[in-house]
Amino acid sequence: MSEPIRLGWAPVTDRDHRREVAWRLVRELIGQPGIRISNRCPRCGADHGPVEVEGVAVTASVSYAAGWAVVALAPAAAGTVGVDAEPEVDLRRDRTGLTGVLGAGPATTRDWVRVEAALKADRRGLRVEPALVHVTGTDGTDDTTGASWRARVPGRAHPLLGWDLDGPPGVLVSAALASLEPADR
């Protein structure tokens, strides 16, 4: 069960305003309309980095898929959260396939959303080669943590805990939590 993670989603009709929709969702889930939110990239300063919420003890992550903004929140004490969402059906992606994206073999869209959620929770994102992330335990719930899967990310001493969540219709959603223990980066 993903008890520490709260998930919300809303339709996005205009790509230019998707961040506004996501930020509104974050504020609604937290219950504080005036909070400041940013996602500055630590490397280049552009607005595509990890989501930061000022003055509230939560961690947040955002993904966009198939006309939806998807937001995950967790208490800051639980670690950093990452969420990814992808349409179940994407004609271009499905035509090309995901073979080789996560290593030499084939991959599914579910495999990809798990890896991307883990990389977002790790906070390094795609600066870590996705093919080096190793996901296990995808056959059900882990009795000790409630997680449905775990991800080993290079440079982290401990695995990230992950869940496959119910999201908007036609969209696959996975979320992960990275422990607060320092990573050897």
Side-chain angles (χ1 to χ4, degrees):
M1 183 187 308
S2 61
E3 290 179 19
I5 297 176
R6 293 177 56 206
L7 191 70
W9 58 87
V12 176
T13 56
D14 181 347
R15 181 172 170 81
D16 294 332
H17 295 103
R18 68 186 194 162
R19 183 173 289 120
E20 292 173 21
V21 172
W23 281 189
R24 187 187 78 239
L25 272 170
V26 170
R27 290 180 178 106
E28 287 174 2
L29 286 171
I30 293 172
Q32 295 184 17
I35 58 174
R36 291 183 48 136
I37 306 166
S38 65
N39 66 324
R40 295 272 183 233
C41 173
R43 288 185 11 191
C44 72
D47 291 331
H48 59 227
V51 177
E52 299 292 336
V53 181
E54 291 182 29
V56 182
V58 299
T59 177
S61 183
V62 172
S63 188
Y64 305 99
W68 295 94
V70 179
V71 170
L73 291 181
T80 55
V81 69
V83 69
D84 192 45
E86 292 288 336
E88 287 185 59
V89 176
D90 178 308
L91 296 178
R92 185 179 335 163
R93 177 198 67 217
D94 297 343
R95 199 173 21 251
T96 3
L98 292 172
T99 299
V101 173
L102 296 177
T108 67
T109 304
R110 175 60 75 191
D111 296 332
W112 175 256
V113 296
R114 288 173 176 158
V115 167
E116 179 118 21
L119 291 174
K120 286 181 174 183
D122 176 71
R123 294 300 204 232
R124 289 178 289 166
L126 294 175
R127 289 179 292 170
V128 173
E129 172 57 47
L132 299 177
V133 177
H134 184 66
V135 176
T136 60
T138 58
D139 55 353
T141 300
D142 179 297
D143 291 322
T144 59
T145 64
S148 62
W149 50 270
R150 293 171 180 253
R152 285 257 177 220
V153 176
R156 292 197 73 87
H158 302 285
L160 285 71
L161 304 179
W163 296 266
D164 299 332
L165 305 172
D166 292 330
V171 177
L172 297 176
V173 178
S174 290
L177 276 175
S179 69
L180 295 175
E181 298 178 30
D184 177 23
R185 299 180 189 208

